[in-house]
Amino acid sequence: MMLDKNALEVFVTLAQTRNFRVAAEKLGVTRPAISQSLRRLEDRLQISLIRRTTRSLSLTEAGERLYAEAAPAISQLNQAVVDISALAGEPRGLLRLAVSSIAERFINGELLATFLIRYPHIEVDISVTDEEFDIVAQGYDAGVRLGEIIAQDMIAVPVSLRQRQIAVASPAYLARYGTPRHPHELLQHCCIGWRREPGVAPYRWEFAEEGREFDVAVNARLNTNDMGIMIRTACAGGGIAFGLEETYRPYIARGELIPLLTAYLPEFAGFYLYFPSRKHLAPKLRALIDHMKV
């Protein structure tokens, strides 16, 4: 049997105050409205809940039992509404994000550290993953991916500048094996490949020449899904690696890696924070979007 939550709240308030006038004032309704609500509830249950005289009000046995069960439930429901209202105001709560392992600006630490300082009531849970999956079905608030692989029905907010893939190698490797002048020459070099997960084919290296895009399936001597392994191996002279320019920028600045084939590597759309809808956007997610604009 489904009961009206408002009628139960009227009954609980009446049982607590033992006074129709006080209950009406507490709920912001008229005394006749209190009487009508109680009558409908008793008719629905087909049992009397309250004994009334001109001078007093008391609960029947059925009323005592219903009050014992209903009062805690009504209190919990009201508290839940208060808690949800708080979430709709000040940014707070758990923010779950699925972030690409190569979204350097997002996961380099600075952006997240300043966000945590600015919003002390938000907790962040980040899963670093390059799998493609439904973030809504998996319970995430948002994801961070390259714009070209985000589904069309998602809202996408840029979180980086335009990106560019580059090939890099250490000075020692180039001194030993020479410098490739065209992407097709990579087939004669030792390369370090990246794959998203076990069993998935390694990523094909993409280039462009005179407006025509093409890719090269390099003969990678080493394949991994860990960017750190790629970087360390390339710095140690183990081969030519390929990845986002901003990932390699610190190593290039220190002279540990040399950029290669830059004339064949155009820019493309960068990383985006994506989520399903702007309607009733949670303050915790709105806070992250605003923070990324600072």
Side-chain angles (χ1 to χ4, degrees), residues 24 51 76 95 147 167 171 201 221 239 288:
R51 300 186 192 93
Q76 290 177 1
L95 185 62
R221 297 278 308 283
L288 179 61

Side-chain angles (χ1 to χ4, degrees), residues 215-292:
D215 57 56
V216 176
V218 299
N219 300 315
R221 297 278 308 283
L222 169 66
N223 284 301
T224 180
N225 66 343
D226 187 295
M227 183 59 65
I229 291 176
M230 292 181 65
I231 293 172
R232 290 190 293 272
T233 304
C235 288
I240 299 175
F242 194 78
L244 291 179
E245 185 174 17
E246 67 178 20
T247 300
Y248 295 124
R249 190 170 290 128
Y251 304 90
I252 294 171
R254 293 193 296 266
E256 296 177 65
L257 293 173
I258 306 296
L260 309 171
L261 306 170
T262 55
Y264 301 94
L265 296 164
E267 292 184 344
F268 53 87
F271 289 94
Y272 288 77
L273 177 80
Y274 68 100
F275 47 92
S277 174
R278 289 187 185 276
K279 187 176 182 180
H280 302 310
L281 193 64
K284 59 186 179 181
L285 184 53
R286 168 57 62 191
L288 179 61
I289 295 170
D290 292 341
H291 186 72
M292 291 186 303

Side-chain angles (χ1 to χ4, degrees), residues 64-75:
E64 292 283 5
R65 291 183 61 177
L66 180 60
Y67 175 71
E69 295 288 340
I74 293 295
S75 177

Side-chain angles (χ1 to χ4, degrees), residues 96-109 112 125-133 135 140 142-150 159-160 163 165 194-196 203 225-227 243-244 246-247 268-274:
R96 296 191 67 222
L97 305 172
V99 182
S100 169
S101 67
I102 54 175
E104 187 67 24
R105 183 203 170 215
F106 196 89
I107 60 176
N108 69 4
L112 292 171
D125 185 304
I126 292 180
S127 294
V128 177
T129 173
D130 293 297
E131 286 188 67
E132 295 180 27
F133 59 88
I135 59 170
Y140 289 94
V144 178
R145 290 284 183 274
L146 286 171
E148 60 190 26
I149 60 174
I150 295 174
V159 297
S160 77
Q163 299 290 307
Q165 301 258 50
W194 184 85
R195 54 171 172 71
R196 189 174 69 246
Y203 178 74
N225 66 343
D226 187 295
M227 183 59 65
L244 291 179
E246 67 178 20
T247 300
F268 53 87
F271 289 94
Y272 288 77
L273 177 80
Y274 68 100

Side-chain angles (χ1 to χ4, degrees), residues 18 41 54 61 71 143 146 166 169 183 201 206 219 240 249 254:
R18 304 297 171 107
L41 181 59
T54 56
E61 179 184 3
L146 286 171
I166 60 170
E206 299 174 343
N219 300 315
I240 299 175
R249 190 170 290 128
R254 293 193 296 266

